Amino acid sequence: MMESRETWVALSALQHLLFCERQAALIHVERLWLEDVNTATGRLLHERVDLPGHDARPGRRVERAVRLGCQRLRLTGRANLVEYHPDSTSPTGWRPFPVEVKRGRRKSEDADRVQLCAQALCLEEMHGVEVPEGALFHGAQHRRQAVRFDAGLRARTEAAVARMHELLERGHVPVVPRAPKCEKCSLESLCLPQVTAGQRRASDHLKRMMESVEF
């Protein structure tokens, strides 16, 4: 029997997880959310991008707001845009090419690339064809960044999916050290990293004290 998709990991959760495990758990385990100017701008952008539809362009056809799912990884979500390029080596005659639209600039970390690779893994299972590459479109730079789904990126993506499943199944919200990136997080006032990280230090100190006591 197929599992309820309520137990599946959302594609968007992977980007949250790569940014901060605590942020991902607060959003997807505790169901907390606070919007700031950056998240509001991103939401408005995706409301425009995610309008369902399709069109044909020279050498490709384009589907928008495509629902995705991967039974093997229990992963679900939506792609902003999937291009289908003609390819005589593909059993279907077409090769999917996911494109994820991002509001800002290209990031140094892998969060966006992992989210895009997860879309590719869904498309591979849905269409039964290999999806070797896709692209990120950064609105601030108005430029595409090609992404190759190599073995390393695929392994990191599957590890992120497994870790997100672990947090969801345990209902666990990890404690993480405060970091400069906390100032960019819209959930900082709910997360309270300056308090929770201190609690972990106190807990670790008490644990070490108890372990040093001879009974």
Side-chain angles (χ1 to χ4, degrees):
M1 184 176 65
M2 183 177 292
E3 288 185 75
S4 164
R5 289 206 173 192
E6 291 182 359
T7 66
W8 289 25
V9 166
L11 287 166
S12 60
L14 302 180
Q15 188 182 46
H16 298 144
L17 186 81
L18 270 289
F19 176 74
C20 170
E21 287 198 354
R22 184 169 175 81
Q23 186 206 60
L26 288 171
I27 296 171
H28 300 277
V29 175
E30 297 290 338
R31 303 291 182 184
L32 298 178
W33 181 251
L34 272 180
E35 193 162 78
D36 62 10
V37 65
N38 291 323
T39 59
T41 304
R43 176 176 54 76
L44 292 172
L45 170 66
H46 281 92
E47 284 178 358
R48 295 201 305 273
V49 171
D50 287 342
L51 292 175
H54 57 87
D55 58 77
R57 299 178 185 177
R60 57 188 163 167
R61 62 183 174 88
V62 178
E63 301 285 344
R64 303 178 186 282
V66 180
R67 295 292 305 176
L68 300 176
C70 177
Q71 177 74 34
R72 178 176 68 87
L73 296 174
R74 291 184 294 145
L75 189 61
T76 186
R78 186 193 303 240
N80 295 144
L81 183 152
V82 179
E83 295 178 351
Y84 290 86
H85 300 179
D87 187 335
S88 60
T89 66
S90 167
T92 63
W94 297 90
R95 186 76 60 189
F97 184 93
V99 180
E100 177 71 10
V101 178
K102 296 299 180 187
R103 176 186 60 84
R105 296 178 176 275
R106 178 177 176 178
K107 302 181 181 69
S108 57
E109 65 265 24
D110 261 351
D112 291 344
R113 285 163 25 94
V114 163
Q115 185 180 4
L116 184 69
C117 184
Q119 294 178 11
L121 296 175
C122 292
L123 287 164
E124 287 184 340
E125 185 178 282
M126 292 166 64
H127 294 289
V129 299
E130 184 184 4
V131 180
E133 59 185 352
L136 296 167
F137 180 85
H138 297 96
Q141 296 164 307
H142 206 68
R143 181 179 301 171
R144 276 194 182 195
Q145 172 200 2
V147 177
R148 187 80 183 171
F149 306 128
D150 59 24
L153 182 57
R154 288 170 182 266
R156 189 168 191 204
T157 301
E158 296 207 17
V161 176
R163 176 58 175 161
M164 197 63 229
H165 274 300
E166 181 184 353
L167 294 179
L168 289 172
E169 289 162 8
R170 292 173 55 199
H172 178 53
V173 180
V175 174
V176 299
R178 181 175 174 77
K181 65 183 179 184
C182 294
E183 296 178 5
K184 302 177 184 176
C185 180
S186 68
L187 297 187
E188 185 180 15
S189 63
L190 297 175
C191 172
L192 299 175
Q194 68 278 19
V195 175
T196 54
Q199 287 176 340
R200 186 176 71 167
R201 288 196 295 271
S203 174
D204 291 345
H205 177 65
L206 288 172
K207 183 179 178 182
R208 287 195 298 273
M209 285 183 60
M210 293 300 294
E211 289 174 347
S212 66
V213 173
E214 294 183 1
F215 293 97

Coordinates of all heavy atoms in Angstrom, one line a residue, residues 106-197:
R106 N 23.4 34.0 -7.0 CA 24.0 32.7 -6.8 C 24.6 32.5 -5.4 O 25.3 33.4 -5.0 CB 25.0 32.4 -7.9 CG 25.7 31.1 -7.8 CD 26.7 31.0 -9.0 NE 27.4 29.8 -8.9 CZ 28.3 29.4 -9.8 NH1 28.5 30.1 -10.9 NH2 29.0 28.2 -9.7
K107 N 24.3 31.4 -4.8 CA 24.8 31.2 -3.4 C 26.1 30.3 -3.4 O 26.3 29.5 -4.4 CB 23.8 30.5 -2.5 CG 22.4 31.2 -2.4 CD 21.5 30.5 -1.5 CE 20.1 31.2 -1.4 NZ 19.4 31.1 -2.7
S108 N 26.9 30.5 -2.4 CA 28.1 29.7 -2.4 C 27.8 28.3 -1.9 O 28.5 27.3 -2.3 CB 29.1 30.4 -1.4 OG 28.6 30.5 -0.1
E109 N 26.8 28.1 -1.1 CA 26.5 26.8 -0.6 C 25.7 26.0 -1.6 O 25.2 26.6 -2.6 CB 25.7 26.8 0.8 CG 24.4 27.5 0.7 CD 24.4 28.9 1.0 OE1 25.5 29.6 0.9 OE2 23.4 29.5 1.5
D110 N 25.4 24.7 -1.3 CA 24.8 23.8 -2.3 C 23.3 23.7 -2.2 O 22.7 22.9 -2.8 CB 25.4 22.4 -2.1 CG 26.5 22.1 -3.1 OD1 26.7 22.9 -4.0 OD2 27.2 21.1 -2.9
A111 N 22.7 24.5 -1.3 CA 21.3 24.3 -1.0 C 20.4 24.3 -2.3 O 19.6 23.5 -2.5 CB 20.8 25.4 -0.1
D112 N 20.6 25.3 -3.2 CA 19.8 25.4 -4.4 C 20.1 24.3 -5.3 O 19.2 23.7 -6.0 CB 20.1 26.7 -5.1 CG 19.6 27.9 -4.3 OD1 18.7 27.7 -3.4 OD2 20.0 29.1 -4.7
R113 N 21.4 23.9 -5.4 CA 21.8 22.8 -6.3 C 21.2 21.4 -5.9 O 20.7 20.6 -6.7 CB 23.3 22.7 -6.4 CG 23.9 23.7 -7.3 CD 25.4 23.9 -7.0 NE 26.1 22.8 -6.6 CZ 26.8 21.9 -7.3 NH1 26.8 22.0 -8.6 NH2 27.4 20.9 -6.8
V114 N 21.1 21.3 -4.5 CA 20.5 20.0 -4.0 C 19.0 20.0 -4.3 O 18.5 18.9 -4.7 CB 20.8 19.9 -2.5 CG1 19.9 18.9 -1.8 CG2 22.3 19.5 -2.2
Q115 N 18.3 21.1 -4.1 CA 16.9 21.2 -4.4 C 16.6 20.8 -5.9 O 15.7 20.1 -6.2 CB 16.3 22.5 -4.0 CG 14.8 22.6 -4.2 CD 14.2 24.0 -3.8 OE1 15.0 24.9 -3.5 NE2 12.9 24.1 -3.9
L116 N 17.5 21.4 -6.7 CA 17.3 21.1 -8.2 C 17.6 19.7 -8.5 O 16.9 19.0 -9.3 CB 18.2 22.0 -9.0 CG 18.1 22.0 -10.5 CD1 16.7 22.5 -10.9 CD2 19.2 22.7 -11.2
C117 N 18.6 19.1 -7.9 CA 19.0 17.7 -8.1 C 17.8 16.8 -7.7 O 17.5 15.8 -8.3 CB 20.3 17.3 -7.4 SG 20.8 15.7 -7.7
A118 N 17.2 17.2 -6.5 CA 16.0 16.4 -6.1 C 14.9 16.4 -7.1 O 14.2 15.4 -7.3 CB 15.6 16.9 -4.7
Q119 N 14.7 17.5 -7.8 CA 13.7 17.6 -8.8 C 14.1 16.6 -9.9 O 13.2 15.9 -10.5 CB 13.6 19.0 -9.4 CG 13.1 20.0 -8.4 CD 13.0 21.4 -9.0 OE1 13.2 21.6 -10.2 NE2 12.8 22.4 -8.1
A120 N 15.3 16.6 -10.3 CA 15.8 15.6 -11.3 C 15.5 14.2 -10.9 O 15.1 13.4 -11.8 CB 17.3 15.9 -11.6
L121 N 15.8 13.8 -9.7 CA 15.6 12.5 -9.2 C 14.1 12.1 -9.4 O 13.7 11.0 -9.7 CB 16.0 12.3 -7.8 CG 17.5 12.5 -7.6 CD1 17.9 12.4 -6.1 CD2 18.3 11.4 -8.3
C122 N 13.2 13.1 -9.1 CA 11.8 12.8 -9.2 C 11.4 12.6 -10.7 O 10.7 11.7 -11.1 CB 11.0 14.0 -8.7 SG 11.0 14.3 -6.9
L123 N 12.0 13.5 -11.6 CA 11.7 13.4 -13.0 C 12.2 12.1 -13.6 O 11.6 11.5 -14.5 CB 12.3 14.6 -13.8 CG 11.6 15.9 -13.5 CD1 12.5 17.1 -14.0 CD2 10.2 16.0 -14.3
E124 N 13.4 11.6 -13.1 CA 13.9 10.3 -13.6 C 12.9 9.2 -13.3 O 12.7 8.3 -14.1 CB 15.3 10.1 -13.0 CG 16.3 11.0 -13.6 CD 17.7 10.7 -13.0 OE1 17.9 10.1 -12.0 OE2 18.7 11.1 -13.7
E125 N 12.4 9.2 -12.1 CA 11.5 8.1 -11.7 C 10.2 8.2 -12.5 O 9.6 7.2 -12.9 CB 11.2 8.1 -10.2 CG 10.3 6.9 -9.8 CD 10.1 6.9 -8.3 OE1 11.0 6.5 -7.5 OE2 9.0 7.3 -7.8
M126 N 9.7 9.5 -12.6 CA 8.4 9.7 -13.3 C 8.4 9.3 -14.8 O 7.4 8.8 -15.3 CB 8.0 11.1 -13.1 CG 7.6 11.5 -11.7 SD 7.5 13.3 -11.4 CE 6.1 13.8 -12.4
H127 N 9.6 9.6 -15.4 CA 9.6 9.4 -16.9 C 10.5 8.2 -17.3 O 10.5 7.9 -18.5 CB 10.2 10.7 -17.5 CG 9.3 11.9 -17.4 ND1 8.1 12.0 -18.1 CD2 9.4 13.0 -16.7 CE1 7.5 13.2 -17.8 NE2 8.3 13.8 -16.9
G128 N 11.2 7.6 -16.4 CA 12.0 6.5 -16.7 C 13.2 6.8 -17.6 O 13.6 6.0 -18.4
V129 N 13.7 8.0 -17.5 CA 14.9 8.4 -18.3 C 15.9 9.1 -17.4 O 15.5 9.7 -16.3 CB 14.5 9.4 -19.4 CG1 13.5 8.7 -20.4 CG2 13.9 10.7 -18.9
E130 N 17.1 9.2 -17.8 CA 18.1 9.9 -17.0 C 18.0 11.4 -17.3 O 17.7 11.8 -18.4 CB 19.5 9.4 -17.5 CG 20.7 10.1 -16.6 CD 22.0 9.7 -17.1 OE1 22.1 9.0 -18.2 OE2 23.0 10.1 -16.5
V131 N 18.2 12.1 -16.2 CA 18.1 13.6 -16.3 C 19.5 14.1 -15.8 O 19.8 14.2 -14.6 CB 17.0 14.2 -15.4 CG1 17.0 15.7 -15.5 CG2 15.7 13.6 -15.8
P132 N 20.4 14.3 -16.7 CA 21.8 14.6 -16.3 C 22.1 16.0 -15.9 O 23.1 16.3 -15.3 CB 22.6 14.3 -17.6 CG 21.6 14.5 -18.7 CD 20.3 14.2 -18.2
E133 N 21.2 17.0 -16.3 CA 21.5 18.4 -16.0 C 20.2 19.2 -15.9 O 19.2 18.9 -16.5 CB 22.5 19.0 -16.9 CG 22.1 19.0 -18.4 CD 23.1 19.5 -19.3 OE1 24.2 20.0 -18.8 OE2 23.0 19.3 -20.6
G134 N 20.4 20.4 -15.3 CA 19.3 21.4 -15.2 C 19.9 22.7 -15.1 O 21.1 22.9 -15.4
A135 N 19.1 23.7 -14.6 CA 19.7 25.1 -14.4 C 18.9 25.8 -13.3 O 17.8 25.5 -13.0 CB 19.5 25.8 -15.7
L136 N 19.7 26.7 -12.7 CA 19.1 27.7 -11.7 C 19.1 29.0 -12.4 O 20.1 29.4 -13.1 CB 20.0 27.8 -10.5 CG 20.1 26.5 -9.6 CD1 21.3 26.6 -8.6 CD2 18.8 26.2 -8.9
F137 N 18.0 29.7 -12.2 CA 17.8 31.1 -12.8 C 17.8 32.1 -11.6 O 16.9 32.0 -10.8 CB 16.6 31.2 -13.6 CG 16.4 32.6 -14.2 CD1 17.0 33.0 -15.4 CD2 15.6 33.6 -13.5 CE1 16.9 34.3 -15.9 CE2 15.5 34.8 -14.0 CZ 16.1 35.2 -15.2
H138 N 18.8 32.9 -11.5 CA 18.9 33.9 -10.4 C 18.3 35.2 -10.9 O 18.9 35.9 -11.8 CB 20.3 34.0 -9.9 CG 20.9 32.8 -9.4 ND1 21.6 31.9 -10.1 CD2 20.7 32.2 -8.1 CE1 21.9 30.8 -9.3 NE2 21.4 31.0 -8.2
G139 N 17.2 35.7 -10.2 CA 16.5 36.9 -10.7 C 17.4 38.1 -10.5 O 17.4 39.0 -11.4
A140 N 18.2 38.2 -9.4 CA 19.0 39.4 -9.2 C 20.1 39.6 -10.3 O 20.4 40.7 -10.6 CB 19.7 39.3 -7.9
Q141 N 20.5 38.5 -10.9 CA 21.6 38.5 -11.9 C 21.0 38.3 -13.3 O 21.7 38.5 -14.3 CB 22.6 37.5 -11.6 CG 23.4 37.7 -10.3 CD 24.1 36.5 -9.9 OE1 23.6 35.4 -9.8 NE2 25.4 36.6 -9.7
H142 N 19.7 37.9 -13.3 CA 19.0 37.6 -14.6 C 19.9 36.7 -15.5 O 20.1 37.0 -16.6 CB 18.7 38.9 -15.3 CG 17.5 38.8 -16.2 ND1 16.2 38.6 -15.8 CD2 17.4 38.7 -17.6 CE1 15.4 38.5 -16.8 NE2 16.0 38.6 -17.9
R143 N 20.3 35.6 -14.8 CA 21.2 34.7 -15.5 C 21.0 33.3 -15.1 O 20.6 33.0 -14.0 CB 22.7 35.1 -15.2 CG 23.8 34.3 -15.8 CD 25.1 34.8 -15.4 NE 25.3 36.2 -15.8 CZ 26.3 37.0 -15.4 NH1 27.2 36.4 -14.6 NH2 26.4 38.2 -15.7
R144 N 21.2 32.4 -16.1 CA 21.1 30.9 -15.8 C 22.4 30.4 -15.3 O 23.5 30.8 -15.9 CB 20.6 30.2 -17.0 CG 19.1 30.1 -17.2 CD 18.8 29.1 -18.2 NE 17.4 29.0 -18.5 CZ 16.8 28.0 -19.1 NH1 17.5 27.0 -19.6 NH2 15.5 28.0 -19.3
Q145 N 22.4 29.5 -14.4 CA 23.6 28.7 -14.0 C 23.3 27.2 -14.3 O 22.4 26.6 -13.7 CB 23.9 28.9 -12.5 CG 25.0 28.0 -11.9 CD 24.9 27.8 -10.4 OE1 24.0 28.4 -9.8 NE2 25.8 27.1 -9.9
A146 N 24.1 26.7 -15.2 CA 23.9 25.2 -15.5 C 24.4 24.4 -14.3 O 25.3 24.7 -13.6 CB 24.7 24.9 -16.7
V147 N 23.6 23.3 -14.0 CA 24.0 22.4 -12.9 C 24.0 21.0 -13.5 O 23.0 20.5 -14.0 CB 22.9 22.5 -11.8 CG1 23.3 21.5 -10.7 CG2 22.9 23.9 -11.2
R148 N 25.2 20.3 -13.3 CA 25.3 18.9 -13.7 C 25.1 18.1 -12.5 O 25.6 18.3 -11.4 CB 26.8 18.7 -14.2 CG 27.0 17.4 -14.8 CD 26.5 17.3 -16.2 NE 26.7 16.0 -16.8 CZ 26.2 15.6 -18.0 NH1 25.5 16.5 -18.7 NH2 26.4 14.4 -18.4
F149 N 24.2 17.0 -12.7 CA 23.9 16.2 -11.6 C 24.9 15.0 -11.5 O 24.6 13.9 -12.0 CB 22.4 15.7 -11.7 CG 21.4 16.8 -11.9 CD1 20.5 16.8 -12.9 CD2 21.4 17.9 -11.0 CE1 19.6 17.8 -13.1 CE2 20.5 18.9 -11.2 CZ 19.6 18.9 -12.2
D150 N 26.0 15.3 -11.0 CA 27.1 14.2 -10.9 C 26.8 13.4 -9.7 O 25.9 13.6 -8.9 CB 28.5 14.9 -10.9 CG 28.7 15.8 -9.7 OD1 28.0 15.7 -8.7 OD2 29.5 16.7 -9.8
A151 N 27.7 12.3 -9.5 CA 27.5 11.4 -8.5 C 27.6 12.0 -7.1 O 26.8 11.7 -6.2 CB 28.5 10.2 -8.6
G152 N 28.5 13.0 -6.9 CA 28.6 13.6 -5.6 C 27.4 14.4 -5.2 O 26.9 14.3 -4.1
L153 N 26.8 15.2 -6.2 CA 25.6 16.0 -5.9 C 24.4 15.0 -5.7 O 23.6 15.3 -4.8 CB 25.3 16.9 -7.1 CG 24.1 17.8 -6.9 CD1 24.3 18.7 -5.6 CD2 23.9 18.7 -8.1
R154 N 24.3 13.9 -6.4 CA 23.2 13.0 -6.2 C 23.3 12.4 -4.8 O 22.3 12.2 -4.1 CB 23.3 11.9 -7.2 CG 22.8 12.4 -8.6 CD 23.1 11.3 -9.7 NE 22.7 11.8 -11.0 CZ 21.5 11.6 -11.6 NH1 20.6 10.9 -11.0 NH2 21.2 12.2 -12.7
A155 N 24.6 12.0 -4.4 CA 24.7 11.4 -3.0 C 24.4 12.4 -1.9 O 23.8 12.1 -0.9 CB 26.2 10.9 -2.9
R156 N 24.8 13.7 -2.1 CA 24.5 14.7 -1.1 C 23.0 14.9 -1.0 O 22.4 15.1 0.0 CB 25.2 16.0 -1.4 CG 25.1 17.0 -0.3 CD 26.0 18.2 -0.4 NE 26.0 18.9 0.9 CZ 26.3 20.2 1.0 NH1 26.7 20.8 0.0 NH2 26.2 20.7 2.2
T157 N 22.3 14.9 -2.2 CA 20.9 15.1 -2.2 C 20.2 14.0 -1.5 O 19.3 14.2 -0.7 CB 20.4 15.2 -3.7 OG1 21.1 16.3 -4.3 CG2 18.9 15.4 -3.7
E158 N 20.6 12.7 -1.8 CA 19.9 11.6 -1.1 C 20.2 11.6 0.4 O 19.3 11.2 1.2 CB 20.3 10.3 -1.8 CG 19.9 10.2 -3.2 CD 19.7 8.8 -3.7 OE1 19.6 7.9 -2.9 OE2 19.6 8.6 -4.9
A159 N 21.4 12.0 0.8 CA 21.7 12.1 2.2 C 20.8 13.2 2.9 O 20.4 13.0 4.0 CB 23.2 12.4 2.4
A160 N 20.6 14.3 2.2 CA 19.7 15.3 2.8 C 18.3 14.8 2.9 O 17.6 15.1 3.9 CB 19.8 16.6 1.9
V161 N 17.8 14.1 1.9 CA 16.4 13.5 2.0 C 16.3 12.6 3.2 O 15.4 12.6 4.0 CB 16.1 12.8 0.7 CG1 14.7 12.1 0.9 CG2 16.1 13.7 -0.5
A162 N 17.4 11.7 3.4 CA 17.4 10.8 4.5 C 17.4 11.5 5.8 O 16.7 11.1 6.8 CB 18.5 9.8 4.4
R163 N 18.2 12.6 6.0 CA 18.3 13.3 7.2 C 16.9 14.0 7.5 O 16.5 14.0 8.6 CB 19.4 14.3 7.1 CG 19.5 15.3 8.3 CD 19.7 14.5 9.6 NE 19.9 15.4 10.7 CZ 19.8 15.1 12.0 NH1 19.5 13.9 12.4 NH2 20.0 16.0 13.0
M164 N 16.3 14.5 6.5 CA 15.0 15.2 6.7 C 13.9 14.2 7.1 O 13.1 14.5 8.0 CB 14.5 15.9 5.4 CG 13.5 17.0 5.6 SD 14.0 18.3 6.7 CE 12.6 18.4 7.8
H165 N 14.0 13.0 6.5 CA 13.0 11.9 7.0 C 13.3 11.6 8.5 O 12.3 11.4 9.2 CB 13.2 10.7 6.2 CG 12.4 10.6 4.9 ND1 11.0 10.7 4.9 CD2 12.8 10.6 3.6 CE1 10.6 10.7 3.6 NE2 11.6 10.6 2.8
E166 N 14.5 11.6 8.9 CA 14.9 11.2 10.3 C 14.3 12.3 11.2 O 13.7 11.9 12.2 CB 16.4 11.2 10.4 CG 16.9 10.8 11.8 CD 18.4 10.9 11.9 OE1 19.1 11.0 10.9 OE2 18.9 10.7 13.1
L167 N 14.5 13.6 10.9 CA 13.9 14.6 11.7 C 12.4 14.6 11.8 O 11.8 14.7 12.9 CB 14.3 16.0 11.2 CG 15.8 16.3 11.2 CD1 16.1 17.7 10.6 CD2 16.4 16.3 12.6
L168 N 11.7 14.3 10.7 CA 10.3 14.2 10.7 C 9.8 13.0 11.5 O 8.8 13.1 12.2 CB 9.8 14.1 9.2 CG 9.9 15.4 8.3 CD1 9.6 15.0 6.9 CD2 9.0 16.5 8.8
E169 N 10.4 11.9 11.3 CA 10.0 10.7 12.0 C 10.2 10.7 13.5 O 9.4 10.2 14.3 CB 10.7 9.4 11.4 CG 10.2 9.1 10.0 CD 11.1 8.2 9.2 OE1 12.1 7.7 9.7 OE2 10.9 8.1 7.9
R170 N 11.3 11.4 13.9 CA 11.6 11.5 15.3 C 10.9 12.8 15.9 O 10.8 12.9 17.1 CB 13.1 11.7 15.6 CG 13.9 10.4 15.3 CD 15.4 10.7 15.4 NE 15.7 11.3 16.7 CZ 16.8 11.9 16.9 NH1 17.7 12.1 15.9 NH2 17.1 12.4 18.1
G171 N 10.3 13.6 15.1 CA 9.7 14.9 15.5 C 10.8 15.7 16.3 O 10.5 16.4 17.3
H172 N 12.0 15.7 15.7 CA 13.2 16.3 16.5 C 13.5 17.6 15.9 O 13.6 17.8 14.7 CB 14.4 15.3 16.3 CG 15.6 15.8 16.9 ND1 15.7 16.2 18.3 CD2 16.9 16.0 16.5 CE1 16.9 16.6 18.6 NE2 17.6 16.5 17.5
V173 N 13.7 18.6 16.8 CA 14.2 19.9 16.5 C 15.6 20.1 17.0 O 15.8 20.3 18.2 CB 13.3 21.0 17.0 CG1 13.8 22.4 16.6 CG2 11.9 20.9 16.5
P174 N 16.7 19.9 16.2 CA 18.0 20.0 16.8 C 18.4 21.3 17.3 O 17.9 22.4 16.8 CB 18.9 19.5 15.6 CG 18.1 19.8 14.4 CD 16.6 19.7 14.8
V175 N 19.4 21.4 18.2 CA 19.9 22.6 18.7 C 21.2 22.8 17.9 O 22.0 21.9 17.7 CB 20.3 22.5 20.2 CG1 21.0 23.8 20.7 CG2 19.0 22.3 21.0
V176 N 21.4 24.1 17.4 CA 22.6 24.4 16.6 C 23.2 25.6 17.2 O 22.6 26.5 17.8 CB 22.3 24.6 15.1 CG1 21.6 23.3 14.5 CG2 21.3 25.8 15.0
P177 N 24.6 25.8 17.0 CA 25.2 27.0 17.5 C 24.7 28.2 16.8 O 24.4 28.2 15.6 CB 26.7 26.7 17.2 CG 26.8 25.3 16.9 CD 25.5 24.9 16.4
R178 N 24.7 29.4 17.5 CA 24.4 30.6 16.8 C 25.5 30.9 15.8 O 26.7 30.7 16.0 CB 24.3 31.8 17.8 CG 24.0 33.1 17.2 CD 23.8 34.2 18.2 NE 23.6 35.5 17.6 CZ 22.4 35.9 17.1 NH1 21.4 35.0 17.1 NH2 22.3 37.0 16.5
A179 N 25.1 31.4 14.6 CA 26.1 31.7 13.5 C 25.7 33.0 12.8 O 24.5 33.5 13.0 CB 26.1 30.5 12.5
P180 N 26.6 33.6 12.1 CA 26.3 34.9 11.3 C 25.0 34.7 10.5 O 24.3 35.7 10.3 CB 27.5 35.1 10.5 CG 28.6 34.5 11.3 CD 28.0 33.3 11.9
K181 N 24.8 33.5 9.9 CA 23.6 33.3 9.0 C 22.3 33.4 9.8 O 21.3 33.6 9.1 CB 23.7 32.0 8.3 CG 23.6 30.8 9.2 CD 23.8 29.5 8.4 CE 23.7 28.3 9.3 NZ 24.0 27.0 8.5
C182 N 22.3 33.4 11.1 CA 21.1 33.5 11.9 C 20.4 34.9 11.6 O 19.2 35.0 11.7 CB 21.4 33.3 13.4 SG 21.9 31.7 13.9
E183 N 21.3 35.9 11.4 CA 20.7 37.2 11.1 C 20.0 37.3 9.8 O 19.2 38.2 9.6 CB 21.9 38.2 11.1 CG 22.6 38.3 12.5 CD 23.8 39.3 12.4 OE1 23.9 40.0 11.4 OE2 24.5 39.4 13.4
K184 N 20.2 36.3 8.9 CA 19.4 36.3 7.7 C 18.1 35.5 7.8 O 17.4 35.4 6.8 CB 20.3 35.7 6.6 CG 21.6 36.4 6.3 CD 22.4 35.6 5.3 CE 23.8 36.2 5.1 NZ 24.6 35.4 4.1
C185 N 17.9 34.8 8.9 CA 16.8 33.9 9.1 C 15.6 34.6 9.6 O 15.6 35.2 10.6 CB 17.2 32.8 10.0 SG 15.9 31.5 10.2
S186 N 14.5 34.4 8.9 CA 13.2 35.1 9.3 C 12.7 34.4 10.6 O 11.8 35.0 11.3 CB 12.1 34.9 8.2 OG 11.8 33.6 8.0
L187 N 13.1 33.3 11.0 CA 12.7 32.6 12.2 C 13.5 32.8 13.4 O 13.3 32.2 14.4 CB 12.6 31.1 11.9 CG 11.7 30.5 10.8 CD1 11.7 29.0 10.8 CD2 10.3 31.1 11.0
E188 N 14.4 33.8 13.3 CA 15.4 34.0 14.5 C 14.6 34.3 15.8 O 15.0 33.8 16.8 CB 16.3 35.1 14.2 CG 17.4 35.3 15.3 CD 18.4 36.4 15.0 OE1 18.1 37.2 14.1 OE2 19.4 36.4 15.6
S189 N 13.5 35.0 15.7 CA 12.8 35.4 16.9 C 12.1 34.2 17.5 O 11.8 34.2 18.7 CB 11.9 36.5 16.7 OG 10.9 36.1 15.8
L190 N 11.8 33.2 16.7 CA 11.2 31.9 17.3 C 12.3 30.9 17.6 O 12.1 30.1 18.6 CB 10.3 31.3 16.2 CG 9.1 32.2 15.7 CD1 8.3 31.5 14.6 CD2 8.1 32.4 16.9
C191 N 13.4 30.9 16.9 CA 14.4 29.9 17.2 C 15.2 30.2 18.4 O 15.5 29.4 19.2 CB 15.4 30.0 15.9 SG 16.9 29.0 16.2
L192 N 15.5 31.5 18.7 CA 16.2 32.0 19.9 C 17.6 31.3 20.0 O 17.8 30.6 21.0 CB 15.4 31.8 21.1 CG 14.1 32.6 21.2 CD1 13.3 32.2 22.4 CD2 14.3 34.1 21.1
P193 N 18.4 31.3 19.0 CA 19.7 30.5 19.0 C 20.6 30.9 20.2 O 21.3 30.1 20.7 CB 20.3 30.8 17.7 CG 19.7 32.1 17.3 CD 18.3 32.1 17.8
Q194 N 20.5 32.2 20.6 CA 21.4 32.7 21.7 C 21.0 32.0 23.0 O 21.8 31.9 23.9 CB 21.3 34.2 21.9 CG 20.0 34.8 22.4 CD 19.0 35.0 21.2 OE1 19.1 34.4 20.2 NE2 18.0 35.8 21.5
V195 N 19.7 31.6 23.1 CA 19.2 30.9 24.3 C 19.4 29.4 24.2 O 19.9 28.7 25.1 CB 17.7 31.2 24.6 CG1 17.2 30.4 25.8 CG2 17.6 32.7 24.8
T196 N 18.9 28.8 23.1 CA 19.0 27.3 23.0 C 20.4 26.8 22.9 O 20.7 25.7 23.4 CB 18.2 26.9 21.7 OG1 18.7 27.6 20.6 CG2 16.7 27.2 21.9
A197 N 21.3 27.5 22.2 CA 22.7 27.0 22.2 C 23.3 27.1 23.5 O 24.1 26.2 23.9 CB 23.5 27.9 21.2

